Amino acid sequence: MNRRMKKIVKVTSISLGTLLLVIVLLITVAVNWFFTPEKLTPIVLRTANQTLNAKLEMKSVELTFFSTFPRFGLKLTEGTLVSKSIRDTLWQKTDSLITFDKCVVVVKPIDYLLDNKINLHYLGLKGASIYAYKGKDGIANWDIMKSDTTTVSADTLSKSSGPIADEINIRRISLKQANVIFDDRDTRVYTRLTNANLKLSASLKKGYSALDMEFSNDNILFWQDGQLLVNKVATKLQADLELNRAIRTLTVKKAGLTVNGVALDLSGTLKRDTVQKAIDVNVHYGLHAPSLKTVFDMIPESVLKREEMTAKGEVLLEGDIKGFYGKEQTPLVTIKAQIKDASAKYDKLPYGIDNLTADFYGAVDLTKKTPSFADLKIFHFQGAHTDILADAKIQDLLGDPDITLNTRSTIDMTALAQTFPLQEGVTIEGKVDADLRLKCRLSSILRQDLGRIKIGGKLNMTGLALRDTSRNFEFTSDAKLAFIGKDNLAARIEVTKMVLNSNNISSELKKLTATVKSTNPQDTTRIMDMECKLDMSQLKAVMGDSIKVFCRKAKSTLRLQPGELNPAMPKIGLNLESDTLFCRLGAMKMGMDKAGFAIKAEKLRDSLWAPKGIIGFNRLSVSTPEFALPIRIRKTAVTLGDRTITLRKAKVRIGRSNLTASGAVYNLYESLKKNKTIHAKLSIASRNLDCNQLINSLNFPEDTLQVENDTVDSSIQLFVIPENIDFELDVKLDKVKYESMVFENVQGDIDIRNQAVHLKEVSMRGMDAQMNATLVYRAKEKKRGYAGFDFKLRDVDVSKLVDFVPSLDTIVPMLRSFKGVVDFDAAAEAVLDSNLNVRIPSLRSAIHIKGDSLVLMDGETFTEISKKLMFKNKEKNVFDSIAVNITVKDGYVTVYPFLVQIDRYKAAVGGTQDLDMNFNYHISILKSPLPFKAGVTITGNMDKMKFKIGKAKYKDAVTPVEIRKVDSTRVNMGRQIVDDFRRIMRR
């Protein structure tokens, strides 16, 4: 190459490089400065919303080049497309056509401008949710293209009516991780595809189009007319399609469909019928590579291992999908499966299939214009000492299926297990002899109209055992069933032993005999009468970790009859007698001795039953983890009915306490299953109630030594009342023990609701005094609670009163110095902490103490006072009377002025103190032998007191008028506290 040529090449290279660099720079500037998402997004949204009969919203629209090099593209993020084809406003879920996380579109606009061709290089959609909806009127939410209603001339119309492009090429469409819902209310079809993925390429030309696609999804859910027909179906589809626009026909060729691992071949056409306004479907499918080995490969590998086998015989599995799909129309689906004179043997196993013949036909028409059915004309299996001959037919498949089954089989399960390569840990043993004839409607089973099941023949199971160690499953049985009815259900059942063990259920049945018989009424609108008598030696059953049942020596009679309210609904009657019955629900245990049931339950609707009857027992024991002591109930009968459990003098013993309960409990089932409120109205009587033991049982359920303590432990904590309890109790208790105190003749009402306990005007005898009490305790959490009380005690000893209410020593310290009896009225409320301690700032109380002839207990003090004050009686320190009004609020105690009379002296005493014992009291001497009146003010605390003599402050504060005002203040506070109780308990 000469120097001139090198120079030309160099200059050309530099020029091209510079030009390329300039183009890249221009593109970079355009993408990052001119065509930014902030500028593109509103333009695209405005254009789309003007041209589509829908509303498009998205987070951003971005022009791409480097990520889609060498072409420009658009990236759309977080978009939502809502259709307006059904309604313009008040959008609903059915209008949400599509939402997506990301969408990328790459096109070649120059091809359209130069050659009138649309080249879609790439369309990618990720994380999409598609909801395709069609209403009963046939209007679909995907019809979002606006129609042009502008009036134009015929010439203009003819010129503009051509296609928007001569050719459309789609190189690649990708749909990833999409969930698709197809909801057709017109044909009552609902389909949901989970995690769908699609790859598609297409070429659309004049008169001819071709399409190549790959599709897969994890699950298909298919409902029709409210019935679930398909679920847990994973599919894959590879198809090569051709579209002839002239005859509006789509031809399916080279299509393969895989359903849960089963490969099918598809071929056929889909044609648009403008007259019917529907799609004429004509598709044929068949099993790919039909052979007996292919049939066995359909069995999941979790059941049969894949091993080499030799097989002979003819296998056919095919069907058609024919008919129109459109308004109230769906195509008819048929299936034909045949196996003729087949035989097979796995190379490593001793037994094989000597002969296998099967002939099956089926058809499904979702519109129900033609009958849907499933017909197994013959199934014949011979080999491994086994001969199974059966036929079955289900008519009216989508209505009320009419089921017919006939079989005559001798099965050697032990040899059969050596015919197929079962997975490790799976074993089958035993023999089964069956000669059965069955005919029934599915509605009879669903309606529990079991008497209409027509079954005859016998079924014997000897040494039957099915085990799978990998799934922890075991079933063994020795049983004989003889069905002797012709037009009704009649049977004799003998079970020597039956065991079922799995991950969730474990049960064992020994020596059961039963007879079943039913009538045959001609009235098909009524449930058929049926009776089953059963005699059982022993039953053990465990379900999960929460339910366990044990029953020994039981006899029962089960009756099935038409309901009284609706003869088409069943009524079940159960009479049962058992020597021992034990049940465990979670951590709660219940055991019965000599149990007997006489129960009837009528079905009202769906799974709602109305039980009635009596449950009786000799002894019943119940234990729960929340309570340390077992609850024992002696010989009692419990009545069930109208969602109510009725008790009549049920005698209950809990430790040293005994109770007799009568009344009713409502909504027990709803409270256990649905956590709804359980209601009860009960009358409770008791000869002895040990509250110390009961409270300790609640607070120390696992410490039996603590429970036996004769006092309530000081470390007792707040306990929460369950929120779903609403009890009304009428109590009559002869003796109640709490701490060291004993109360007698306790009578009154107790309400438990709103997570609170309310004792309403309970009267009792205690501390050698008559007491009337109202009390409320409430706790919604372990950290905080509420307590309030209203006590009225008459003629109570002062020393016992201070022991009963220890906080009085803090509120009225002078009471410790007196001896005698007083009348005591107190109303108080406070917030409690987790250890049941009162939070002082929250304490509010109104107290009234009245007493006559109270004795000052400190003799030396009285002697000194009597000398200095010149008492006439220097031997007796008796106060004539005391009537004190006290209120507690905001952490302060107010003692309202009250009169004190002793010997020749009359004084008025009053003042305030806080609950830390810092006080400010005043004593006004109103009457004395001295010629003047004076007052003494005492301040400080018990360790350091200051006295100040001055004027008498309370000369006018103890007049009858002022005392009535003070009484009114105290009474009003007490009423407010009691009103707080009522608000807490209000429903």
Side-chain angles (χ1 to χ4, degrees), residues 836-963:
L836 285 178
N837 297 317
V838 173
R839 294 185 178 179
I840 297 300
S842 69
L843 177 63
R844 189 163 66 121
S845 179
I847 302 171
H848 178 69
I849 303 172
K850 182 179 180 181
D852 297 323
S853 303
L854 297 179
V855 177
L856 187 66
M857 294 173 61
D858 190 345
E860 294 181 2
T861 302
F862 174 75
T863 301
E864 189 68 25
I865 292 174
S866 64
K867 287 180 180 180
K868 291 183 177 180
L869 298 180
M870 296 178 290
F871 281 1
K872 287 182 179 180
N873 189 346
K874 295 181 174 60
E875 296 179 358
K876 273 193 174 183
N877 48 349
V878 178
F879 287 82
D880 291 344
S881 64
I882 291 179
V884 187
N885 286 314
I886 304 169
T887 61
V888 181
K889 188 176 181 181
D890 299 329
Y892 283 91
V893 179
T894 302
V895 180
Y896 293 92
F898 65 94
L899 283 174
V900 177
Q901 297 186 43
I902 183 170
D903 201 76
R904 292 182 293 174
Y905 290 85
K906 180 187 290 186
V909 182
T912 61
Q913 73 178 56
D914 60 26
L915 297 180
D916 292 330
M917 297 303 293
N918 297 309
F919 48 75
N920 185 350
Y921 283 104
H922 178 79
I923 302 174
S924 292
I925 300 174
L926 305 180
K927 179 183 177 183
S928 71
L930 302 176
F932 58 87
K933 295 181 180 180
V936 179
T937 301
I938 307 172
T939 59
N941 53 51
M942 297 300 293
D943 297 326
K944 185 178 180 180
M945 290 185 289
K946 295 179 180 180
F947 295 87
K948 182 180 179 181
I949 299 176
K951 293 182 179 181
K953 296 181 179 180
Y954 296 148
K955 289 186 294 182
D956 301 322
V958 289
T959 63
V961 174
E962 294 299 321
I963 291 175

Side-chain angles (χ1 to χ4, degrees), residues 698-822:
L698 278 171
N699 287 278
F700 308 99
E702 298 179 357
D703 190 345
T704 54
L705 293 177
Q706 185 66 49
V707 169
E708 293 302 324
N709 282 349
D710 206 29
T711 59
V712 177
D713 194 278
S714 59
S715 62
I716 182 174
Q717 293 185 338
L718 204 69
F719 57 92
V720 177
I721 307 297
E723 62 181 348
N724 63 334
I725 288 180
D726 188 348
F727 284 5
E728 297 179 34
L729 309 178
D730 175 21
V731 297
K732 293 181 180 180
L733 314 176
D734 295 343
K735 180 181 178 182
V736 178
K737 185 175 183 181
Y738 177 73
E739 289 284 359
S740 59
M741 292 174 289
V742 176
F743 302 95
E744 298 176 338
N745 298 325
V746 180
Q747 298 185 29
D749 296 330
I750 300 176
D751 286 350
I752 305 175
R753 65 172 171 270
N754 300 339
Q755 295 187 277
V757 179
H758 185 198
L759 278 68
K760 299 189 299 183
E761 299 180 0
V762 176
S763 65
M764 65 191 79
R765 183 77 182 172
M767 300 178 292
D768 296 325
Q770 184 63 33
M771 179 189 299
N772 291 304
T774 296
L775 185 144
V776 168
Y777 168 85
R778 186 183 195 183
K780 291 187 173 183
E781 55 183 355
K782 280 281 189 179
K783 297 179 180 180
R784 180 185 174 94
Y786 169 89
F789 62 82
D790 182 16
F791 286 149
K792 291 180 174 62
L793 285 83
R794 298 293 175 261
D795 299 329
V796 61
D797 189 278
V798 172
S799 60
K800 293 181 179 179
L801 177 63
V802 174
D803 291 337
F804 176 61
V805 189
S807 57
L808 279 177
D809 190 23
T810 303
I811 298 172
V812 193
M814 68 181 74
L815 283 178
R816 282 286 184 187
S817 301
F818 288 104
K819 181 180 180 181
V821 294
V822 297

Side-chain angles (χ1 to χ4, degrees), residues 212-276:
D212 190 9
M213 64 177 294
E214 293 182 13
F215 172 82
S216 67
N217 74 287
D218 290 348
N219 184 38
I220 294 178
L221 190 72
F222 184 86
W223 291 74
Q224 202 273 336
D225 260 353
Q227 294 186 2
L228 181 62
L229 302 179
V230 176
N231 192 16
K232 296 182 180 179
V233 174
T235 64
K236 291 183 180 180
L237 174 65
Q238 290 183 327
D240 185 3
L241 310 177
E242 291 183 358
L243 175 63
N244 189 324
R245 292 182 178 173
I247 58 175
R248 297 184 178 88
T249 301
L250 178 67
T251 303
V252 181
K253 50 192 292 189
K254 296 181 181 180
L257 174 65
T258 302
V259 181
N260 286 350
V262 179
L264 301 172
D265 295 326
L266 297 176
S267 62
T269 60
L270 288 84
K271 185 176 181 180
R272 176 68 177 173
D273 191 316
T274 56
V275 177
Q276 294 274 357

Side-chain angles (χ1 to χ4, degrees), residues 25-139:
L25 289 174
L26 290 174
I27 292 173
T28 303
V29 171
V31 170
N32 292 281
W33 276 275
F34 294 103
F35 298 102
T36 61
E38 291 77 10
K39 296 179 180 180
L40 280 177
T41 303
I43 296 174
V44 173
L45 290 177
R46 184 169 60 252
T47 303
N49 289 324
Q50 289 175 352
T51 56
L52 296 176
N53 190 25
K55 181 174 178 57
L56 177 65
E57 293 181 349
M58 67 185 69
K59 183 178 180 180
S60 66
V61 179
E62 180 181 351
L63 183 66
T64 65
F65 178 74
F66 297 103
S67 60
T68 56
F69 184 82
R71 297 175 178 84
F72 285 97
L74 287 179
K75 182 171 76 172
L76 293 69
T77 57
E78 297 182 18
T80 301
L81 184 64
V82 180
S83 172
K84 293 183 180 180
S85 60
I86 300 176
R87 58 185 66 80
D88 289 332
T89 58
L90 298 176
W91 294 326
Q92 300 176 8
K93 178 183 176 182
T94 53
D95 303 303
S96 299
L97 180 59
I98 184 171
T99 62
F100 59 86
D101 295 336
K102 185 175 73 171
C103 178
V104 178
V105 182
V106 180
V107 297
K108 296 175 66 176
I110 296 177
D111 291 346
Y112 182 74
L113 297 175
L114 297 179
D115 301 327
N116 198 29
K117 295 195 311 184
I118 295 178
N119 279 329
L120 178 61
H121 183 75
Y122 176 73
L123 171 61
L125 200 61
K126 186 176 181 181
S129 294
I130 301 171
Y131 189 90
Y133 171 83
K134 186 169 72 171
K136 293 182 180 180
D137 52 5
I139 300 176

Side-chain angles (χ1 to χ4, degrees), residues 691-703:
C691 293
N692 298 331
Q693 192 181 47
L694 295 177
I695 293 174
N696 287 333
S697 295
L698 278 171
N699 287 278
F700 308 99
E702 298 179 357
D703 190 345

Side-chain angles (χ1 to χ4, degrees), residues 556-672:
S556 68
T557 301
L558 178 67
R559 292 184 176 88
L560 184 65
Q561 298 172 307
E564 297 176 3
L565 300 176
N566 183 0
M569 290 288 187
K571 180 177 71 173
I572 296 177
L574 172 65
N575 291 340
L576 176 119
E577 295 178 5
S578 175
D579 280 4
T580 304
L581 183 61
F582 173 83
C583 177
R584 177 169 64 85
L585 299 174
M588 186 179 75
K589 301 176 182 178
M590 181 184 69
M592 289 184 184
D593 180 17
K594 297 292 183 182
F597 301 123
I599 299 174
K600 293 181 179 179
E602 183 169 351
K603 187 175 182 180
L604 302 180
R605 64 179 185 273
D606 296 334
S607 58
L608 180 61
W609 294 76
K612 294 181 180 179
I614 297 175
I615 299 175
F617 47 84
N618 186 41
R619 288 177 297 179
L620 170 66
S621 178
V622 179
S623 62
T624 67
E626 293 84 8
F627 201 72
L629 297 172
I631 302 171
R632 295 184 173 92
I633 305 176
R634 289 194 294 170
K635 189 174 183 179
T636 300
V638 179
T639 304
L640 307 176
D642 297 328
R643 303 184 184 179
T644 304
I645 299 175
T646 305
L647 305 175
R648 291 184 176 87
K649 295 184 178 181
K651 296 181 179 180
V652 183
R653 188 167 190 86
I654 310 172
R656 292 187 290 268
S657 303
N658 60 73
L659 299 168
T660 301
S662 298
V665 180
Y666 311 91
N667 299 332
L668 179 60
Y669 175 83
E670 287 84 353
S671 68
L672 293 175

Side-chain angles (χ1 to χ4, degrees), residues 962-977:
E962 294 299 321
I963 291 175
R964 281 196 294 270
K965 289 181 180 179
V966 171
D967 282 339
S968 177
T969 300
R970 187 260 309 166
V971 169
N972 288 338
M973 181 178 285
R975 287 175 177 171
Q976 289 176 3
I977 293 172

